Amino acid sequence: MAEGDAEAGAGVRVALDASASRADVGALQAWLEQEQPIQELVRAGALRIEVRPGDGADEHMGSAWEIALHIVGEVTTVATLAEYTSRAVKAWKANRRRVENGEPPRTRVDPLDPGED
């Protein structure tokens, strides 16, 4: 596969722990959608973002919610998308600390499982 080619189900997942509220999930989704490189991929039709309940299967940090970023086209790689997403999540958490009381939910950014859609 050439650089930039996307396989089916390629993308990243942002898992939010059980302390995440629906407001946290919505705010993080909106933040991701407004981050310039991610926003450009969505506008180009090369990226699809969806929110879904987490599986809670990870014994270290079960996820209550997940935001999945699915690569649809051949514009970016999973590694590049993971970098964009990690930076955006870090910025969102810093902003949330400034505007809300309490710590933001714990998050984890991972590649999607192959074939996950």
Side-chain angles (χ1 to χ4, degrees), residues 11-15 58 78 82 86 108-113:
V12 298
R13 162 194 4 258
V14 180
D58 184 334
V78 172
S86 293
R108 188 183 66 233
V109 177
D110 297 310
L112 290 173
D113 296 329

Side-chain angles (χ1 to χ4, degrees), residues 46-87:
L47 186 68
R48 179 173 46 89
I49 300 175
E50 74 172 331
V51 174
R52 58 191 184 198
D55 60 14
D58 184 334
E59 63 189 47
H60 299 292
M61 187 192 99
S63 59
W65 291 96
E66 296 178 347
I67 300 175
L69 293 86
H70 298 275
I71 298 172
V72 179
E74 298 179 358
V75 176
T76 193
T77 64
V78 172
T80 300
L81 180 59
E83 180 183 330
Y84 294 158
T85 303
S86 293
R87 275 190 278 155

Side-chain angles (χ1 to χ4, degrees), residues 91-113:
W92 172 77
K93 289 174 98 170
N95 183 68
R96 188 185 177 285
R97 283 184 184 102
R98 284 191 303 270
V99 299
E100 291 190 33
N101 293 328
E103 279 297 301
R106 288 186 303 155
T107 57
R108 188 183 66 233
V109 177
D110 297 310
L112 290 173
D113 296 329

